[in-house]
CSV table of all heavy atoms in Angstrom, one decimal:
chain,number,residue,atom,x,y,z
A,28,PRO,N,-18.0,10.0,12.6
A,28,PRO,CA,-16.8,9.9,13.4
A,28,PRO,C,-16.7,11.0,14.4
A,28,PRO,O,-16.0,10.9,15.4
A,28,PRO,CB,-15.6,9.9,12.4
A,28,PRO,CG,-16.2,10.5,11.2
A,28,PRO,CD,-17.7,10.2,11.2
A,29,ALA,N,-17.4,12.1,14.2
A,29,ALA,CA,-17.4,13.2,15.1
A,29,ALA,C,-18.2,12.9,16.4
A,29,ALA,O,-18.1,13.6,17.5
A,29,ALA,CB,-17.9,14.5,14.5
A,30,ALA,N,-19.0,11.8,16.3
A,30,ALA,CA,-19.9,11.5,17.4
A,30,ALA,C,-19.3,10.7,18.6
A,30,ALA,O,-19.7,10.7,19.7
A,30,ALA,CB,-21.2,10.7,16.9
A,31,VAL,N,-18.1,10.1,18.3
A,31,VAL,CA,-17.4,9.2,19.3
A,31,VAL,C,-15.9,9.4,19.0
A,31,VAL,O,-15.5,9.7,17.9
A,31,VAL,CB,-17.9,7.7,19.1
A,31,VAL,CG1,-19.3,7.5,19.6
A,31,VAL,CG2,-17.6,7.2,17.8
A,32,PRO,N,-15.2,9.2,20.1
A,32,PRO,CA,-13.7,9.2,19.9
A,32,PRO,C,-13.2,8.0,19.1
A,32,PRO,O,-13.8,6.9,19.1
A,32,PRO,CB,-13.1,9.2,21.3
A,32,PRO,CG,-14.3,8.6,22.2
A,32,PRO,CD,-15.5,8.9,21.4
A,33,ALA,N,-12.1,8.3,18.4
A,33,ALA,CA,-11.5,7.2,17.6
A,33,ALA,C,-10.7,6.2,18.5
A,33,ALA,O,-10.1,6.7,19.5
A,33,ALA,CB,-10.6,7.7,16.6
A,34,GLU,N,-10.8,4.9,18.2
A,34,GLU,CA,-9.9,4.0,18.9
A,34,GLU,C,-8.8,3.7,17.9
A,34,GLU,O,-9.1,3.0,16.8
A,34,GLU,CB,-10.7,2.7,19.2
A,34,GLU,CG,-9.8,1.6,19.9
A,34,GLU,CD,-10.6,0.3,20.0
A,34,GLU,OE1,-11.8,0.3,20.1
A,34,GLU,OE2,-9.9,-0.7,20.1
A,35,ARG,N,-7.6,4.2,18.0
A,35,ARG,CA,-6.5,3.9,17.1
A,35,ARG,C,-5.7,2.8,17.6
A,35,ARG,O,-5.3,2.7,18.8
A,35,ARG,CB,-5.7,5.2,16.9
A,35,ARG,CG,-6.5,6.3,16.4
A,35,ARG,CD,-5.7,7.5,15.9
A,35,ARG,NE,-6.6,8.6,15.4
A,35,ARG,CZ,-7.1,8.6,14.2
A,35,ARG,NH1,-6.8,7.7,13.3
A,35,ARG,NH2,-8.0,9.6,13.9
A,36,PHE,N,-5.2,1.9,16.7
A,36,PHE,CA,-4.5,0.7,17.0
A,36,PHE,C,-3.6,0.2,15.8
A,36,PHE,O,-3.9,0.7,14.7
A,36,PHE,CB,-5.3,-0.3,17.7
A,36,PHE,CG,-6.4,-0.9,16.7
A,36,PHE,CD1,-6.2,-2.0,15.9
A,36,PHE,CD2,-7.6,-0.1,16.5
A,36,PHE,CE1,-7.2,-2.4,15.1
A,36,PHE,CE2,-8.5,-0.6,15.6
A,36,PHE,CZ,-8.4,-1.7,14.9
A,37,THR,N,-2.7,-0.7,16.1
A,37,THR,CA,-1.9,-1.3,15.2
A,37,THR,C,-2.3,-2.8,15.1
A,37,THR,O,-2.5,-3.4,16.2
A,37,THR,CB,-0.4,-1.1,15.4
A,37,THR,OG1,-0.2,0.3,15.4
A,37,THR,CG2,0.4,-1.8,14.3
A,38,ALA,N,-2.4,-3.4,14.0
A,38,ALA,CA,-2.7,-4.8,13.9
A,38,ALA,C,-1.7,-5.6,14.7
A,38,ALA,O,-0.5,-5.3,14.7
A,38,ALA,CB,-2.7,-5.3,12.4
A,39,ALA,N,-2.2,-6.7,15.3
A,39,ALA,CA,-1.2,-7.7,16.0
A,39,ALA,C,-0.3,-8.3,15.0
A,39,ALA,O,-0.6,-8.5,13.9
A,39,ALA,CB,-2.1,-8.8,16.7
A,40,PRO,N,1.0,-8.5,15.5
A,40,PRO,CA,2.0,-9.0,14.6
A,40,PRO,C,1.6,-10.2,13.8
A,40,PRO,O,2.0,-10.4,12.7
A,40,PRO,CB,3.2,-9.3,15.6
A,40,PRO,CG,3.0,-8.5,16.8
A,40,PRO,CD,1.5,-8.3,16.9
A,41,GLU,N,0.8,-11.2,14.5
A,41,GLU,CA,0.5,-12.4,13.7
A,41,GLU,C,-0.6,-12.1,12.6
A,41,GLU,O,-0.8,-13.0,11.7
A,41,GLU,CB,-0.1,-13.4,14.7
A,41,GLU,CG,-1.3,-13.1,15.5
A,41,GLU,CD,-1.1,-12.3,16.7
A,41,GLU,OE1,0.0,-11.8,17.0
A,41,GLU,OE2,-2.1,-12.2,17.4
A,42,LYS,N,-1.2,-11.0,12.7
A,42,LYS,CA,-2.2,-10.6,11.6
A,42,LYS,C,-1.6,-9.7,10.5
A,42,LYS,O,-2.1,-9.7,9.4
A,42,LYS,CB,-3.4,-9.9,12.3
A,42,LYS,CG,-4.3,-10.7,13.1
A,42,LYS,CD,-5.5,-10.0,13.6
A,42,LYS,CE,-6.3,-11.0,14.4
A,42,LYS,NZ,-7.6,-10.4,14.7
A,43,LEU,N,-0.5,-9.1,10.8
A,43,LEU,CA,0.1,-8.2,9.9
A,43,LEU,C,1.0,-8.9,8.9
A,43,LEU,O,2.1,-9.4,9.3
A,43,LEU,CB,0.9,-7.1,10.6
A,43,LEU,CG,1.5,-6.0,9.8
A,43,LEU,CD1,0.4,-5.2,9.1
A,43,LEU,CD2,2.3,-5.0,10.8
A,44,ALA,N,0.6,-8.9,7.6
A,44,ALA,CA,1.5,-9.5,6.6
A,44,ALA,C,2.3,-8.5,5.8
A,44,ALA,O,3.4,-8.8,5.4
A,44,ALA,CB,0.5,-10.3,5.6
A,45,ALA,N,1.9,-7.3,5.7
A,45,ALA,CA,2.6,-6.2,5.1
A,45,ALA,C,2.0,-4.8,5.5
A,45,ALA,O,0.9,-4.7,5.8
A,45,ALA,CB,2.5,-6.3,3.6
A,46,GLY,N,2.9,-3.8,5.5
A,46,GLY,CA,2.4,-2.5,5.8
A,46,GLY,C,2.6,-2.2,7.3
A,46,GLY,O,3.1,-2.9,8.0
A,47,SER,N,2.0,-1.0,7.7
A,47,SER,CA,2.1,-0.5,9.1
A,47,SER,C,1.1,-1.2,10.0
A,47,SER,O,1.4,-1.3,11.2
A,47,SER,CB,1.9,1.0,9.1
A,47,SER,OG,0.6,1.3,8.8
A,48,GLY,N,-0.1,-1.6,9.4
A,48,GLY,CA,-1.1,-2.2,10.3
A,48,GLY,C,-1.9,-1.1,11.1
A,48,GLY,O,-2.7,-1.4,11.9
A,49,ASP,N,-1.7,0.2,10.7
A,49,ASP,CA,-2.3,1.3,11.4
A,49,ASP,C,-3.8,1.3,11.0
A,49,ASP,O,-4.2,1.2,9.8
A,49,ASP,CB,-1.7,2.6,11.1
A,49,ASP,CG,-0.3,2.8,11.7
A,49,ASP,OD1,0.0,2.1,12.6
A,49,ASP,OD2,0.4,3.7,11.2
A,50,GLN,N,-4.7,1.3,12.1
A,50,GLN,CA,-6.1,1.3,11.9
A,50,GLN,C,-6.8,2.2,12.9
A,50,GLN,O,-6.2,2.6,13.9
A,50,GLN,CB,-6.7,-0.1,12.1
A,50,GLN,CG,-6.1,-1.1,11.1
A,50,GLN,CD,-6.5,-2.5,11.5
A,50,GLN,OE1,-7.7,-2.9,11.5
A,50,GLN,NE2,-5.5,-3.4,11.9
A,51,ALA,N,-8.0,2.6,12.6
A,51,ALA,CA,-8.9,3.4,13.6
A,51,ALA,C,-10.3,2.9,13.5
A,51,ALA,O,-10.7,2.5,12.4
A,51,ALA,CB,-8.7,4.9,13.3
């Protein structure tokens, strides 16, 4: 992960069933 920048995002509402949906 130190080799490239993180792409941080939240799951699309239609994909999110529970939780924050936070991903990287």
